[in-house]
């Protein structure tokens, strides 16, 4: 089974995700639209239907001063509908 969004940092300021595993997500792994000084560090993001980390979107300012480091991203933007 999957979840719609892994983590929402949307419009947050100085929010940190550290050593988090996000997987089997229908849409974005991390929604960071409109965030300021967000940090995504360590961990992994896999099997997302859209972007692993999304920082832009209609009607919301772009993410600013964001730091992403040491995050393993696999199968981003892939939706698998076959048998598991």
């Amino acid at each position: 089974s999957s979840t719609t969004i892994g983590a929402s940092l949307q419009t947050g300021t100085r929010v940190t995700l550290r050593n988090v595993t996000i997987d089997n997500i229908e849409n974005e792994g991390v929604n960071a639209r409109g965030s300021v000084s967000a940090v995504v560090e360590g961990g992994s993001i896999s099997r997302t239907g859209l972007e692993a980390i999304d920082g832009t979107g209609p009607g919301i300012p772009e993410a600013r001063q964001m730091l992403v480091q040491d995050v393993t991203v696999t199968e981003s933007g892939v939706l698998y509908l076959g048998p598991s």
Side-chain angles (χ1 to χ4, degrees):
S1 79
S2 62
T3 303
T4 303
I5 294 176
S8 180
L9 312 180
Q10 185 169 313
T11 68
T13 301
R14 291 187 287 280
V15 178
T16 298
L17 285 179
R18 185 170 288 128
N19 300 321
V20 174
T21 298
I22 296 173
D23 59 10
N24 296 326
I25 304 299
E26 288 181 27
N27 295 318
E28 302 91 354
V30 176
N31 174 354
R33 297 174 189 161
S35 66
V36 178
S37 300
V39 175
V40 180
E41 182 177 42
S44 64
I45 302 171
S46 63
R47 295 182 300 279
T48 61
L50 298 175
E51 296 88 348
I53 301 171
D54 185 11
T56 75
I60 300 174
E62 294 179 353
R64 295 180 292 138
Q65 301 168 337
M66 184 172 191
L67 173 66
V68 178
Q69 65 182 14
D70 300 323
V71 177
T72 301
V73 175
T74 58
E75 300 178 63
S76 176
V78 175
L79 182 59
Y80 179 68
L81 298 175
S84 53

